[in-house]
Amino acid sequence: MADKCHLCLLGLIFLSSLLTDTSGEDDVHVFISSGEDVRLPCNNALPDCKSTTWIYNSRHSAAVELIGLGIKKNDTERHERLSLGSDCSLNIKNITKEDYGLYSCRQYVNGQKQGDDTRVYLHVIRVSSSSSQTEISPGSSVTLSCQLYSSYGVSCDDWIRFQRIDLFWVNQTGVKRTISDSRYQESAPRRCIITLTTTLLNEDDNREWRCNVTHGDQVKTSATYTVKSSGKKTNSSISF
């Protein structure tokens, strides 16, 4: 029994070290809303970017080379949305939830790897609606789902628990919703997903429902969903 407890303790220590930022001072965490453009910094870049290679990793696929020695690869799904900045940063347009994961900026000179990688972890937040209708009338019930897509070698739920990452809905004044808001029912089936259910009123036309992501007390990014009625199309809009 003592041996089993010892192994459990070692496992918890390993998980804690993995989830905290002990993997290197060059690690960068970027939070972004789906639909936005993002810039991923390369802190170890050499002049003119001809030595710069960007590699993408996710938990669900093999590593993919996006930029090789300063040249964009043509055979990647992200090809049209990628560009290399003058400072060797990686620019990605119109972020989707599939873009989350680890991006590594690596330097090669004469075929030899130089120094440590700059590792950039991209975390994507997205809000979606339970309704597929293009018009939602007053009196209808709608459920909005806010989800954070994140990868740090472990599950998203484990990572945000250790890192004090929080997802929550805010009202129109930017204040976190409370249980006193009787119009709304919130649930959190997982730490990386929260839902908001409400019955629409006439005054809800063109109203934004906002979901925030915070790290400690700092807002990292937010996503909003705007419900349109009166014959207008239901759509989503993203903002910071």
Side-chain angles (χ1 to χ4, degrees), residues 54-57 61-67 75-78:
W54 276 97
I55 300 170
Y56 169 72
N57 290 270
S61 63
V64 177
E65 188 174 285
L66 304 176
I67 305 288
D75 56 350
T76 67
E77 296 179 0
R78 298 172 176 81

Side-chain angles (χ1 to χ4, degrees), residues 69-81:
L69 301 179
I71 299 175
K72 182 169 63 171
K73 298 294 184 178
N74 293 324
D75 56 350
T76 67
E77 296 179 0
R78 298 172 176 81
H79 170 72
E80 296 297 330
R81 298 188 289 121

Side-chain angles (χ1 to χ4, degrees), residues 23-41:
S23 52
E25 62 180 9
D26 288 333
D27 282 12
V28 178
H29 292 269
V30 176
F31 294 80
I32 193 72
S33 304
S34 63
E36 289 291 321
D37 301 339
V38 71
R39 170 188 171 275
L40 306 182

Side-chain angles (χ1 to χ4, degrees), residues 77-216:
E77 296 179 0
R78 298 172 176 81
H79 170 72
E80 296 297 330
R81 298 188 289 121
L82 298 179
S83 64
L84 196 63
S86 59
D87 59 353
C88 309
S89 59
L90 181 65
N91 301 312
I92 310 176
K93 293 182 178 180
N94 192 25
I95 286 292
T96 71
K97 61 184 179 65
E98 286 80 17
D99 290 325
Y100 81 94
L102 169 62
Y103 293 78
S104 300
C105 186
R106 185 173 298 173
Q107 306 301 312
Y108 289 98
V109 176
N110 297 325
Q112 298 296 315
K113 182 176 178 295
Q114 305 295 305
D116 297 328
D117 295 351
T118 294
R119 303 196 301 181
V120 184
Y121 292 90
L122 182 64
H123 313 281
V124 180
I125 184 177
R126 178 175 179 265
V127 175
S128 58
S129 171
S130 61
S131 175
S132 60
Q133 298 178 0
T134 58
E135 178 181 350
I136 302 179
S137 304
S140 301
S141 177
V142 63
T143 296
L144 303 180
S145 177
C146 176
Q147 182 166 356
L148 179 67
Y149 296 86
S150 183
S151 176
Y152 197 62
V154 293
S155 72
C156 176
D157 288 345
D158 287 337
W159 182 74
I160 69 171
R161 179 164 57 92
F162 277 83
Q163 288 293 321
R164 296 189 302 122
I165 305 295
D166 192 19
L167 277 72
F168 56 88
W169 296 97
V170 297
N171 60 25
Q172 289 180 291
T173 62
V175 177
K176 186 176 182 179
R177 293 195 180 279
T178 66
I179 58 175
S180 62
D181 295 326
S182 57
R183 272 194 62 199
Y184 309 95
Q185 294 80 47
E186 294 189 28
S187 65
R190 288 168 43 196
R191 289 181 180 271
C192 283
I193 302 175
I194 59 172
T195 64
L196 179 71
T197 300
T198 188
T199 299
L200 299 179
L201 304 177
N202 288 323
E203 56 265 31
D204 288 331
D205 182 30
N206 208 35
R207 174 174 292 180
E208 291 183 345
W209 281 267
R210 181 183 300 273
C211 176
N212 280 0
V213 178
T214 60
H215 185 193

Side-chain angles (χ1 to χ4, degrees), residues 2-45:
D3 290 340
K4 290 184 178 179
C5 291
H6 180 66
L7 290 174
C8 291
L9 179 60
L10 289 177
L12 289 173
I13 293 174
F14 172 76
L15 180 60
S16 179
S17 65
L18 180 64
L19 292 172
T20 53
D21 290 334
T22 59
S23 52
E25 62 180 9
D26 288 333
D27 282 12
V28 178
H29 292 269
V30 176
F31 294 80
I32 193 72
S33 304
S34 63
E36 289 291 321
D37 301 339
V38 71
R39 170 188 171 275
L40 306 182
C42 181
N43 297 333
N44 61 348

